[in-house]
Amino acid sequence: MTRPNLAWIAAFLAALSLPAGAQDRPEPRPDAETTDTAAADTAAAPSQPAPLTFGLAGPFLAARMATVANDFQAAARFFVQAVAHDPDDRFLQDSALVALVSAGEIDRAVALATRIGSEGEPTELSHLIQRANLVHSGDWAGLLADVGTPSDAEAQADLLAGMLRGWGLLGAGKASEALAEFERLSKIGGVAPMVNYHLALARALVGDYEGAEALLADDMTGAHILGFTARAQILAQLERRDEAVAMIEAVPGVEAEPQLLALRDRIKAGQPVAFDVVKTPADGIAQVFLTFASALLSSPDPEPLSLIHARLAAWLSPDTAEARLMVAQILQERQQFDLAEPEYDALRRMGQMRPAAELSRIDTLSRAGRTDEAGKAALSLTAAYPDLPQAWIALGDLLRQQEKFAQAVPAYDKALVLLDDAPADARWFPLYARGIALERSDQFDRAEADFLAAIEIRPDQASLLNYLGYSWIDRNENLDQALEMIQKAVQLSPDDGYILDSLAWAYYRLGRYDEAVAPMERAILTMSQDPLVNDHLGDIYWKVGRQREAEIQWQRALSLDPTETDDVDPDRIRAKLERGLDAVLAEEAAAPVDAPAPAPQAAANN
C-alpha cells in the first residue's frame, strides 16, 4: 500500500508498545501462597536458590527463550502458565496476549483480555483486543461507546480509534455520520491517502460508486492491489468496463497477479462483477487493522505489532486474502513455518494462491532445509499456473539445489519455451541454470550452448563467466579464452572466494603454479571452512615446494569432514598425506579414475 506519514504511528506505538525485554522487568515475584511467609522462611533457613522448574521462574524463563526464538505457540503456553502464578503482573499479561495472538489463538487472547478488563484498568493491548471482539460479535453500540467521539486532537493522537468509529457508525446504520467521520479524519496531516482509501470503501459499500471511484483514482489512495481491485469492481458497477480493463492492464507487474487478470477477463467478457473488497463494516475494520499492519511492517524499524494487527484482520474477515497472506509472510520471515502453512493452505482453498508469495515461500522453505515442503509448493505452483515461467524456474532451482540435475533440466526447458518471446534479459538466468544442470548431468555440449547464449545476454555476469571458464579449463579446452573469462570474473567480483578459487585452479591446471598461490591464498581468507579450497591450496603449495604447508592444508581439509557434496574425496587426501601429491597423480595417470571433475563453486542464484 502507499506508505503514509508515520508520525502518528510513533505516537500510537508509544502508547501501545510490546512488553519490554526480560532485563527491563523486575525479577519474578514469589508465588502468591508463599508471599506471607517469605520473611519468616528467610530468617529460619539458609537462602536456597529457587528450582527453575517450579513456581513462576521456570515458565517465565521458558517463555522468554521461546519469544527470542519466535516460537509463539511455546511462548503462549509458558506465559499463560506464568500469568497463573502471578495474575496481576501487567508485563506477563501483555506478553501472554502478544504470544497468543501471534500464535493465532485469538479466542484465548479474547478471554484473557476480557478478564484483564473486568479486574481493573485494561492494558493498551488488552483494550485493542477487546475492541476487536466487539466488532467480531457485531456489538456496534458497545464499540461506539468504547471509542467515544474523539476531538480532532485526540483523533490525531489515536487515528485507529477514529477509524474504528467511522466503520462502527456504518455498522450501526449511521451512514451519513460514518462518511462525515472519515472526511474529518482525512484532514489530519499526512494520513489523507490512508483515510481516503477507507472512505472510498465506505462510499462503495453504501452505493456511492461515483464518489468512491473519484477517491481511488488518486494514485496516493488507490495504487495498491486492493485499491486496483476495488476500483475495477466499482468501474464495473458504473458500466465503465473499458476503463476498468485499461486500468488493470496498466498495473505494473500485473502478469504476476492472476487475481487481477481473472477480474479483468470477467469484466472484459461482460460477466457480472460484484463489489466485494468489503462486504460488511466488520470487513472494513479488518482492512483498518490490515492498513496498520502494512504501515508497521514497512516502517524503518518493523514492529512485531504488525503480526498482531494482521492476525486480528484475518480473524475479523477470514475471507480477506491479503490479511491471511500478510500473516503467512510475517510468520514465514520469522521461520515459523508450521504456523504459516495453514494460512497458505487457506489461500489455496480460496483460490487465492499468489505466485509472487509462493515463489518467496518456496525459496524460504528451501533455505530452511524443508525441501519436501518446498518441492510440494513448487509442484502445486506449476500445476496452478502452468504458463508461469517463474514457477518452472523455481522447480528447476529446487531440483538443482538437491543435485537432481537431470530432473531439473525439463523444468528449465519448460520455462525457456514459455519465455521464447520474452525480452532477452528474462532468459539469461534460466539458460545459465539449465547449463549448470546439463553440465552436472554430463551433457556438456548442450550446457556449453546455454552458457554462451547466457553470456551473450549478460557479458558482465561474473558467476556465469566463471562457470564456463572453469568448465573449459577442467576439460582442457579453449584454455586461453577460459582464463580470460575467469580473470574478467575476478575483476567484476574481486572479493568472491569461489571465483578466486577458480582463477587459482585455472593457473594450477595450466601448470602456472607460482601464479596460483596468491589468488588461492586470497580465496582461503574468505572460505577457510571450505574443504575443497583447503584441498586446492594444499595441492598448489605442494607444486611450489611448500610441502609442509601443503600437508597442513590437507589435514585442515580432512578436519572439516568433507562429503560428496563438497566435491572432495577424503581417501584421496589421505593418500596425498601418506605418499605425496606426485605419487597420487602418477597412480591416477596409470589407472585413471572415471569420475566427474569438481564443478565450479559459483552456482546460479536467483
Side-chain angles (χ1 to χ4, degrees), residues 556-590:
R556 168 74 174 162
L558 281 177
S559 74
L560 295 169
D561 297 322
T563 65
E564 289 184 4
T565 58
D566 298 311
D567 288 317
V568 175
D569 181 355
D571 290 335
R572 187 173 187 271
I573 296 178
R574 293 187 189 98
K576 289 188 288 188
L577 285 166
E578 291 173 3
R579 301 188 296 280
L581 176 61
D582 294 333
V584 170
L585 291 175
E587 293 165 4
E588 291 173 349

mmCIF file of all heavy atoms in Angstrom, residues 556-590:
data_model
loop_
_atom_site.group_PDB
_atom_site.id
_atom_site.type_symbol
_atom_site.label_atom_id
_atom_site.label_comp_id
_atom_site.label_asym_id
_atom_site.label_seq_id
_atom_site.Cartn_x
_atom_site.Cartn_y
_atom_site.Cartn_z
ATOM 1 N N ARG A 556 43.826 -29.901 7.292
ATOM 2 C CA ARG A 556 42.732 -28.969 7.568
ATOM 3 C C ARG A 556 41.475 -29.375 6.789
ATOM 4 O O ARG A 556 40.363 -29.371 7.322
ATOM 5 C CB ARG A 556 43.162 -27.560 7.178
ATOM 6 C CG ARG A 556 42.070 -26.511 7.135
ATOM 7 C CD ARG A 556 41.628 -26.100 8.490
ATOM 8 N NE ARG A 556 40.678 -25.003 8.430
ATOM 9 C CZ ARG A 556 39.864 -24.660 9.411
ATOM 10 N NH1 ARG A 556 39.889 -25.346 10.541
ATOM 11 N NH2 ARG A 556 39.038 -23.652 9.287
ATOM 12 N N ALA A 557 41.643 -29.732 5.513
ATOM 13 C CA ALA A 557 40.507 -30.147 4.696
ATOM 14 C C ALA A 557 39.822 -31.373 5.297
ATOM 15 O O ALA A 557 38.596 -31.447 5.379
ATOM 16 C CB ALA A 557 40.953 -30.430 3.265
ATOM 17 N N LEU A 558 40.615 -32.334 5.763
ATOM 18 C CA LEU A 558 40.044 -33.527 6.381
ATOM 19 C C LEU A 558 39.306 -33.197 7.675
ATOM 20 O O LEU A 558 38.273 -33.790 7.988
ATOM 21 C CB LEU A 558 41.142 -34.559 6.673
ATOM 22 C CG LEU A 558 41.620 -35.405 5.492
ATOM 23 C CD1 LEU A 558 42.755 -36.321 5.929
ATOM 24 C CD2 LEU A 558 40.486 -36.229 4.899
ATOM 25 N N SER A 559 39.828 -32.241 8.436
ATOM 26 C CA SER A 559 39.213 -31.889 9.722
ATOM 27 C C SER A 559 37.838 -31.270 9.550
ATOM 28 O O SER A 559 37.050 -31.220 10.494
ATOM 29 C CB SER A 559 40.114 -30.917 10.499
ATOM 30 O OG SER A 559 40.066 -29.607 9.937
ATOM 31 N N LEU A 560 37.543 -30.807 8.328
ATOM 32 C CA LEU A 560 36.246 -30.174 8.054
ATOM 33 C C LEU A 560 35.192 -31.191 7.627
ATOM 34 O O LEU A 560 34.103 -30.807 7.192
ATOM 35 C CB LEU A 560 36.406 -29.091 6.988
ATOM 36 C CG LEU A 560 37.281 -27.894 7.416
ATOM 37 C CD1 LEU A 560 37.598 -27.003 6.220
ATOM 38 C CD2 LEU A 560 36.595 -27.091 8.510
ATOM 39 N N ASP A 561 35.517 -32.484 7.749
ATOM 40 C CA ASP A 561 34.564 -33.572 7.451
ATOM 41 C C ASP A 561 33.934 -33.426 6.068
ATOM 42 O O ASP A 561 32.715 -33.296 5.932
ATOM 43 C CB ASP A 561 33.456 -33.640 8.513
ATOM 44 C CG ASP A 561 34.006 -33.979 9.892
ATOM 45 O OD1 ASP A 561 34.934 -34.799 9.960
ATOM 46 O OD2 ASP A 561 33.492 -33.424 10.880
ATOM 47 N N PRO A 562 34.755 -33.443 5.017
ATOM 48 C CA PRO A 562 34.196 -33.270 3.671
ATOM 49 C C PRO A 562 33.291 -34.429 3.285
ATOM 50 O O PRO A 562 33.468 -35.570 3.701
ATOM 51 C CB PRO A 562 35.445 -33.233 2.784
ATOM 52 C CG PRO A 562 36.482 -33.986 3.555
ATOM 53 C CD PRO A 562 36.209 -33.676 4.996
ATOM 54 N N THR A 563 32.286 -34.105 2.469
ATOM 55 C CA THR A 563 31.357 -35.100 1.947
ATOM 56 C C THR A 563 31.345 -35.001 0.430
ATOM 57 O O THR A 563 32.011 -34.139 -0.165
ATOM 58 C CB THR A 563 29.941 -34.863 2.480
ATOM 59 O OG1 THR A 563 29.460 -33.592 1.976
ATOM 60 C CG2 THR A 563 29.926 -34.824 4.003
ATOM 61 N N GLU A 564 30.552 -35.863 -0.196
ATOM 62 C CA GLU A 564 30.468 -35.847 -1.655
ATOM 63 C C GLU A 564 29.980 -34.502 -2.175
ATOM 64 O O GLU A 564 30.378 -34.061 -3.255
ATOM 65 C CB GLU A 564 29.546 -36.958 -2.138
ATOM 66 C CG GLU A 564 30.131 -38.349 -1.971
ATOM 67 C CD GLU A 564 29.219 -39.416 -2.545
ATOM 68 O OE1 GLU A 564 28.182 -39.033 -3.130
ATOM 69 O OE2 GLU A 564 29.533 -40.601 -2.414
ATOM 70 N N THR A 565 29.102 -33.849 -1.397
ATOM 71 C CA THR A 565 28.578 -32.553 -1.852
ATOM 72 C C THR A 565 29.654 -31.479 -1.864
ATOM 73 O O THR A 565 29.475 -30.435 -2.476
ATOM 74 C CB THR A 565 27.409 -32.089 -0.961
ATOM 75 O OG1 THR A 565 27.854 -32.009 0.394
ATOM 76 C CG2 THR A 565 26.253 -33.076 -1.047
ATOM 77 N N ASP A 566 30.770 -31.706 -1.179
ATOM 78 C CA ASP A 566 31.885 -30.752 -1.197
ATOM 79 C C ASP A 566 32.836 -31.018 -2.360
ATOM 80 O O ASP A 566 33.819 -30.304 -2.532
ATOM 81 C CB ASP A 566 32.686 -30.845 0.115
ATOM 82 C CG ASP A 566 31.859 -30.482 1.329
ATOM 83 O OD1 ASP A 566 31.204 -29.430 1.283
ATOM 84 O OD2 ASP A 566 31.871 -31.245 2.314
ATOM 85 N N ASP A 567 32.547 -32.041 -3.180
ATOM 86 C CA ASP A 567 33.422 -32.413 -4.288
ATOM 87 C C ASP A 567 34.836 -32.739 -3.816
ATOM 88 O O ASP A 567 35.823 -32.448 -4.502
ATOM 89 C CB ASP A 567 33.467 -31.305 -5.359
ATOM 90 C CG ASP A 567 32.172 -31.227 -6.154
ATOM 91 O OD1 ASP A 567 31.649 -32.276 -6.522
ATOM 92 O OD2 ASP A 567 31.695 -30.103 -6.384
ATOM 93 N N VAL A 568 34.943 -33.310 -2.632
ATOM 94 C CA VAL A 568 36.238 -33.666 -2.055
ATOM 95 C C VAL A 568 36.208 -35.150 -1.715
ATOM 96 O O VAL A 568 35.255 -35.642 -1.106
ATOM 97 C CB VAL A 568 36.533 -32.838 -0.785
ATOM 98 C CG1 VAL A 568 37.833 -33.308 -0.138
ATOM 99 C CG2 VAL A 568 36.630 -31.357 -1.130
ATOM 100 N N ASP A 569 37.290 -35.869 -2.086
ATOM 101 C CA ASP A 569 37.421 -37.292 -1.777
ATOM 102 C C ASP A 569 38.368 -37.438 -0.590
ATOM 103 O O ASP A 569 39.592 -37.280 -0.751
ATOM 104 C CB ASP A 569 37.969 -38.040 -2.997
ATOM 105 C CG ASP A 569 38.108 -39.541 -2.751
ATOM 106 O OD1 ASP A 569 37.865 -39.979 -1.607
ATOM 107 O OD2 ASP A 569 38.471 -40.253 -3.701
ATOM 108 N N PRO A 570 37.853 -37.731 0.595
ATOM 109 C CA PRO A 570 38.732 -37.846 1.770
ATOM 110 C C PRO A 570 39.825 -38.898 1.589
ATOM 111 O O PRO A 570 40.955 -38.705 2.057
ATOM 112 C CB PRO A 570 37.768 -38.228 2.898
ATOM 113 C CG PRO A 570 36.428 -37.783 2.434
ATOM 114 C CD PRO A 570 36.435 -37.939 0.951
ATOM 115 N N ASP A 571 39.506 -39.999 0.923
ATOM 116 C CA ASP A 571 40.520 -41.049 0.733
ATOM 117 C C ASP A 571 41.675 -40.535 -0.114
ATOM 118 O O ASP A 571 42.846 -40.898 0.113
ATOM 119 C CB ASP A 571 39.888 -42.276 0.076
ATOM 120 C CG ASP A 571 38.937 -42.997 1.024
ATOM 121 O OD1 ASP A 571 39.110 -42.869 2.261
ATOM 122 O OD2 ASP A 571 38.016 -43.690 0.527
ATOM 123 N N ARG A 572 41.363 -39.710 -1.100
ATOM 124 C CA ARG A 572 42.425 -39.156 -1.942
ATOM 125 C C ARG A 572 43.314 -38.210 -1.128
ATOM 126 O O ARG A 572 44.542 -38.190 -1.315
ATOM 127 C CB ARG A 572 41.810 -38.416 -3.129
ATOM 128 C CG ARG A 572 42.822 -37.944 -4.164
ATOM 129 C CD ARG A 572 42.121 -37.375 -5.399
ATOM 130 N NE ARG A 572 43.052 -37.061 -6.462
ATOM 131 C CZ ARG A 572 43.674 -35.878 -6.598
ATOM 132 N NH1 ARG A 572 43.443 -34.898 -5.731
ATOM 133 N NH2 ARG A 572 44.509 -35.678 -7.609
ATOM 134 N N ILE A 573 42.719 -37.443 -0.221
ATOM 135 C CA ILE A 573 43.522 -36.554 0.619
ATOM 136 C C ILE A 573 44.436 -37.385 1.521
ATOM 137 O O ILE A 573 45.620 -37.062 1.707
ATOM 138 C CB ILE A 573 42.612 -35.639 1.458
ATOM 139 C CG1 ILE A 573 41.804 -34.694 0.554
ATOM 140 C CG2 ILE A 573 43.440 -34.809 2.440
ATOM 141 C CD1 ILE A 573 40.844 -33.803 1.291
ATOM 142 N N ARG A 574 43.904 -38.470 2.084
ATOM 143 C CA ARG A 574 44.734 -39.330 2.945
ATOM 144 C C ARG A 574 45.896 -39.927 2.146
ATOM 145 O O ARG A 574 47.025 -40.041 2.658
ATOM 146 C CB ARG A 574 43.876 -40.435 3.551
ATOM 147 C CG ARG A 574 42.824 -39.922 4.533
ATOM 148 C CD ARG A 574 42.094 -41.055 5.241
ATOM 149 N NE ARG A 574 40.972 -40.538 6.005
ATOM 150 C CZ ARG A 574 39.723 -40.522 5.597
ATOM 151 N NH1 ARG A 574 39.403 -41.033 4.399
ATOM 152 N NH2 ARG A 574 38.772 -40.019 6.358
ATOM 153 N N ALA A 575 45.629 -40.283 0.895
ATOM 154 C CA ALA A 575 46.694 -40.827 0.047
ATOM 155 C C ALA A 575 47.781 -39.781 -0.188
ATOM 156 O O ALA A 575 48.982 -40.092 -0.187
ATOM 157 C CB ALA A 575 46.113 -41.309 -1.281
ATOM 158 N N LYS A 576 47.353 -38.517 -0.383
ATOM 159 C CA LYS A 576 48.343 -37.450 -0.582
ATOM 160 C C LYS A 576 49.177 -37.248 0.674
ATOM 161 O O LYS A 576 50.389 -36.998 0.600
ATOM 162 C CB LYS A 576 47.637 -36.147 -0.986
ATOM 163 C CG LYS A 576 47.063 -36.195 -2.400
ATOM 164 C CD LYS A 576 46.527 -34.846 -2.868
ATOM 165 C CE LYS A 576 45.247 -34.444 -2.186
ATOM 166 N NZ LYS A 576 44.639 -33.231 -2.775
ATOM 167 N N LEU A 577 48.560 -37.360 1.834
ATOM 168 C CA LEU A 577 49.308 -37.219 3.087
ATOM 169 C C LEU A 577 50.278 -38.379 3.293
ATOM 170 O O LEU A 577 51.371 -38.196 3.852
ATOM 171 C CB LEU A 577 48.320 -37.135 4.266
ATOM 172 C CG LEU A 577 47.575 -35.809 4.424
ATOM 173 C CD1 LEU A 577 46.404 -35.942 5.388
ATOM 174 C CD2 LEU A 577 48.531 -34.711 4.911
ATOM 175 N N GLU A 578 49.904 -39.559 2.835
ATOM 176 C CA GLU A 578 50.767 -40.726 3.028
ATOM 177 C C GLU A 578 51.899 -40.779 2.005
ATOM 178 O O GLU A 578 53.047 -41.096 2.352
ATOM 179 C CB GLU A 578 49.928 -42.007 2.911
ATOM 180 C CG GLU A 578 48.953 -42.208 4.059
ATOM 181 C CD GLU A 578 48.018 -43.389 3.810
ATOM 182 O OE1 GLU A 578 48.178 -44.073 2.767
ATOM 183 O OE2 GLU A 578 47.118 -43.599 4.651
ATOM 184 N N ARG A 579 51.577 -40.459 0.727
ATOM 185 C CA ARG A 579 52.558 -40.709 -0.325
ATOM 186 C C ARG A 579 52.959 -39.462 -1.098
ATOM 187 O O ARG A 579 53.878 -39.524 -1.924
ATOM 188 C CB ARG A 579 51.995 -41.746 -1.319
ATOM 189 C CG ARG A 579 51.647 -43.077 -0.651
ATOM 190 C CD ARG A 579 51.276 -44.153 -1.667
ATOM 191 N NE ARG A 579 50.080 -43.877 -2.428
ATOM 192 C CZ ARG A 579 48.836 -44.089 -1.951
ATOM 193 N NH1 ARG A 579 48.653 -44.538 -0.724
ATOM 194 N NH2 ARG A 579 47.783 -43.850 -2.708
ATOM 195 N N GLY A 580 52.296 -38.359 -0.870
ATOM 196 C CA GLY A 580 52.610 -37.138 -1.588
ATOM 197 C C GLY A 580 51.774 -36.981 -2.842
ATOM 198 O O GLY A 580 51.296 -37.963 -3.426
ATOM 199 N N LEU A 581 51.584 -35.736 -3.287
ATOM 200 C CA LEU A 581 50.739 -35.455 -4.443
ATOM 201 C C LEU A 581 51.291 -36.070 -5.716
ATOM 202 O O LEU A 581 50.546 -36.618 -6.532
ATOM 203 C CB LEU A 581 50.576 -33.937 -4.607
ATOM 204 C CG LEU A 581 49.793 -33.476 -5.837
ATOM 205 C CD1 LEU A 581 48.362 -34.022 -5.812
ATOM 206 C CD2 LEU A 581 49.767 -31.955 -5.931
ATOM 207 N N ASP A 582 52.612 -36.004 -5.904
ATOM 208 C CA ASP A 582 53.191 -36.504 -7.144
ATOM 209 C C ASP A 582 52.904 -37.989 -7.318
ATOM 210 O O ASP A 582 52.563 -38.456 -8.416
ATOM 211 C CB ASP A 582 54.704 -36.251 -7.167
ATOM 212 C CG ASP A 582 55.023 -34.763 -7.204
ATOM 213 O OD1 ASP A 582 54.177 -33.988 -7.709
ATOM 214 O OD2 ASP A 582 56.087 -34.377 -6.708
ATOM 215 N N ALA A 583 53.021 -38.753 -6.225
ATOM 216 C CA ALA A 583 52.761 -40.190 -6.305
ATOM 217 C C ALA A 583 51.301 -40.462 -6.631
ATOM 218 O O ALA A 583 50.975 -41.340 -7.440
ATOM 219 C CB ALA A 583 53.159 -40.866 -4.992
ATOM 220 N N VAL A 584 50.409 -39.711 -6.015
ATOM 221 C CA VAL A 584 48.975 -39.908 -6.274
ATOM 222 C C VAL A 584 48.641 -39.570 -7.727
ATOM 223 O O VAL A 584 47.900 -40.311 -8.395
ATOM 224 C CB VAL A 584 48.138 -39.055 -5.310
ATOM 225 C CG1 VAL A 584 46.670 -39.049 -5.722
ATOM 226 C CG2 VAL A 584 48.288 -39.555 -3.883
ATOM 227 N N LEU A 585 49.200 -38.479 -8.242
ATOM 228 C CA LEU A 585 48.944 -38.120 -9.636
ATOM 229 C C LEU A 585 49.487 -39.175 -10.589
ATOM 230 O O LEU A 585 48.865 -39.495 -11.615
ATOM 231 C CB LEU A 585 49.559 -36.756 -9.945
ATOM 232 C CG LEU A 585 48.895 -35.541 -9.266
ATOM 233 C CD1 LEU A 585 49.682 -34.276 -9.562
ATOM 234 C CD2 LEU A 585 47.452 -35.384 -9.723
ATOM 235 N N ALA A 586 50.661 -39.744 -10.277
ATOM 236 C CA ALA A 586 51.244 -40.785 -11.122
ATOM 237 C C ALA A 586 50.358 -42.029 -11.123
ATOM 238 O O ALA A 586 50.139 -42.658 -12.178
ATOM 239 C CB ALA A 586 52.648 -41.123 -10.633
ATOM 240 N N GLU A 587 49.838 -42.382 -9.941
ATOM 241 C CA GLU A 587 48.956 -43.543 -9.849
ATOM 242 C C GLU A 587 47.682 -43.310 -10.660
ATOM 243 O O GLU A 587 47.184 -44.221 -11.344
ATOM 244 C CB GLU A 587 48.607 -43.822 -8.389
ATOM 245 C CG GLU A 587 49.791 -44.287 -7.556
ATOM 246 C CD GLU A 587 49.524 -44.199 -6.064
ATOM 247 O OE1 GLU A 587 48.375 -43.842 -5.681
ATOM 248 O OE2 GLU A 587 50.452 -44.452 -5.275
ATOM 249 N N GLU A 588 47.138 -42.098 -10.588
ATOM 250 C CA GLU A 588 45.904 -41.797 -11.314
ATOM 251 C C GLU A 588 46.144 -41.784 -12.815
ATOM 252 O O GLU A 588 45.276 -42.180 -13.605
ATOM 253 C CB GLU A 588 45.338 -40.447 -10.851
ATOM 254 C CG GLU A 588 44.812 -40.498 -9.426
ATOM 255 C CD GLU A 588 44.405 -39.130 -8.886
ATOM 256 O OE1 GLU A 588 44.726 -38.111 -9.534
ATOM 257 O OE2 GLU A 588 43.760 -39.097 -7.827
ATOM 258 N N ALA A 589 47.334 -41.335 -13.227
ATOM 259 C CA ALA A 589 47.656 -41.338 -14.656
ATOM 260 C C ALA A 589 47.784 -42.761 -15.176
ATOM 261 O O ALA A 589 47.388 -43.061 -16.318
ATOM 262 C CB ALA A 589 48.942 -40.566 -14.902
ATOM 263 N N ALA A 590 48.296 -43.645 -14.344
ATOM 264 C CA ALA A 590 48.463 -45.031 -14.758
ATOM 265 C C ALA A 590 47.144 -45.779 -14.782
ATOM 266 O O ALA A 590 46.928 -46.661 -15.605
ATOM 267 C CB ALA A 590 49.453 -45.739 -13.821
#
